[in-house]
Amino acid sequence: MHRAFSKPIQFRNPATGGSVVLTDTSSAVMFLSTRWKWDEGVDFFAAARACMMVMDEFDDPENARAAVVFALKQVGIPVD
């Protein structure tokens, strides 16, 4: 199950220049699995795992949001 974030994650994709808005765990997982073009290190996997935990109803969506924001910032992508 996807769950909405209290505040969408908004940023500009440096690979395409396009604006990205992630509103929930489902959109975050889709972005991480299909459009993530940067380092797939510990922070990337932590973000993906956090989203999956929410989708499996084991965690809060705000923890997943924080993990995705952290992963983006670790690869130098500013988040609005």
Side-chain angles (χ1 to χ4, degrees), residues 5-76:
F5 300 137
S6 62
K7 178 182 174 188
I9 302 169
Q10 299 179 352
F11 59 96
R12 188 155 306 280
N13 185 330
T16 65
S19 178
V20 178
V21 178
L22 306 176
T23 59
D24 55 34
T25 53
S26 181
S27 63
V29 167
M30 184 62 69
F31 181 83
L32 291 167
S33 64
T34 63
R35 296 173 49 204
W36 184 274
K37 305 293 183 203
W38 308 278
D39 178 39
E40 291 184 358
V42 173
D43 301 321
F44 166 83
F45 287 106
R49 182 175 49 249
C51 288
M52 295 307 293
M53 292 290 288
V54 172
M55 293 175 74
D56 288 339
E57 299 183 8
F58 291 113
D59 205 353
D60 185 273
E62 295 314 302
N63 292 335
R65 183 187 187 286
V68 172
V69 168
F70 187 78
L72 288 164
K73 288 181 177 181
Q74 289 303 106
V75 294

